[in-house]
Amino acid sequence: EVQLVESGGGLVQPGGSLRLSCAASGFTFSSYSMNWVRQAPGKGLEWVSYITVSSSTIYYADSVKGRFTISRDNAKNSLYLQMNSLRDEDTAVYYCARDYWTGTAGNFDYWGQGTLVTVSS
Amino acid sequence: DLQMTQSPSSLSASVGDRVTITCRASQNISRYLNWYQQKPGKAPKFLIYAASSLQSGVPSRFSGSGSGTDFTLTISSLQPEDFATYYCQQSYRTLGWTFGQGTKVEI
């Protein structure tokens, strides 16, 4: 069974930093690209970042570019999101999601349960 | 930005009803369109990809259609477990995959 378990969320002040982790199991992590997707309270879904198997290709949404860094450790079956210079509008539940290739990337077939990041003074 | 617009934003339906949700892209996205279901407090669930392909394990009462800019998600006979919010999402533009704003299906 595919499982994705996020951790690392919490309360942080504006301008602060936080590192999210996603532990993967039940599939060959090193064979799949991965994503982070977020959802502000009561709002819709927003894709945040994408990383390929070898970390050779990385994409970010414009809203987080230059502030967030995605990375992975295939030996540890783990995905990470380093978030710096956090803003109020970064408050959201952050999901890690496996990428499902359908001829293009950007299809999210399995999701974790999410971790809440609250940016507030 | 490639915008995705869903309609309606919410709808009321009864068990057994046929429900249709529409998603419109701001430009041609061929068939690079996915649908997700989300229940309160839960992660989204992947329902349909490439506009009309049903993800494994998803009941056949769910179907998708469309291409270009106009797409639909249809639930042929609404079941109690189908009351949720549904999102479309385009996977056409690599730099900036975007979701619709969601359609809440309620009683």
Side-chain angles (χ1 to χ4, degrees):
Chain A
E1 179 193 5
V2 172
Q3 283 201 328
L4 298 167
V5 180
E6 301 93 338
S7 61
L11 175 64
V12 60
Q13 292 188 337
S17 298
L18 214 54
R19 188 193 195 208
L20 306 184
S21 299
C22 172
S25 62
F27 66 102
T28 304
F29 180 73
S30 58
S31 296
Y32 286 86
S33 298
M34 297 294 294
N35 297 272
W36 288 98
V37 179
R38 69 183 180 183
Q39 186 170 35
K43 302 297 184 182
L45 299 162
E46 180 188 18
W47 167 78
V48 172
S49 186
Y50 163 89
I51 186 169
T52 53
V53 165
S54 63
S55 306
S56 58
T57 299
I58 286 174
Y59 301 132
Y60 297 100
D62 287 344
S63 57
V64 306
K65 201 173 297 182
R67 300 186 299 121
F68 289 12
T69 302
I70 191 172
S71 62
R72 65 190 294 163
D73 185 336
N74 289 337
K76 294 184 178 180
N77 291 337
S78 293
L79 177 72
Y80 306 101
L81 187 67
Q82 177 67 42
M83 304 186 296
N84 298 331
S85 303
L86 283 161
R87 305 167 179 168
D88 290 352
E89 56 265 34
D90 295 319
T91 294
V93 173
Y94 284 74
Y95 297 99
C96 68
R98 192 177 80 168
D99 202 85
Y100 180 64
W101 182 260
T102 65
T104 182
N107 314 287
F108 317 123
D109 67 342
Y110 285 95
W111 300 59
Q113 86 290 349
T115 188
L116 176 62
V117 172
T118 303
V119 183
S120 175
S121 53
Chain B
D1 273 2
L2 207 167
Q3 310 279 359
M4 306 300 294
T5 304
Q6 290 181 233
S7 60
S9 296
S10 65
L11 65 90
S12 295
S14 300
V15 172
D17 284 353
R18 181 181 182 89
V19 169
T20 298
I21 298 168
T22 297
C23 178
R24 175 163 288 176
S26 59
Q27 67 180 68
N28 188 336
I29 60 169
S30 185
R31 293 178 60 81
Y32 295 105
L33 192 283
N34 305 316
W35 290 97
Y36 301 84
Q37 175 195 67
Q38 187 178 33
K39 297 181 180 180
K42 301 295 186 182
K45 177 184 177 182
F46 190 45
L47 294 179
I48 288 171
Y49 62 94
S52 61
S53 295
L54 207 63
Q55 175 67 347
S56 176
V58 174
S60 59
R61 63 181 180 272
F62 290 92
S63 64
S65 64
S67 66
T69 60
D70 294 314
F71 302 87
T72 59
L73 171 70
T74 299
I75 309 172
S76 61
S77 177
L78 198 66
Q79 298 302 299
E81 60 268 30
D82 301 336
F83 291 94
T85 298
Y86 294 84
Y87 293 93
C88 64
Q89 176 247 330
Q90 61 83 13
S91 59
Y92 177 79
R93 176 165 288 177
T94 299
L95 294 179
W97 297 307
T98 48
F99 293 84
Q101 81 280 14
T103 295
K104 186 175 184 179
V105 176
E106 50 196 352
I107 300 172

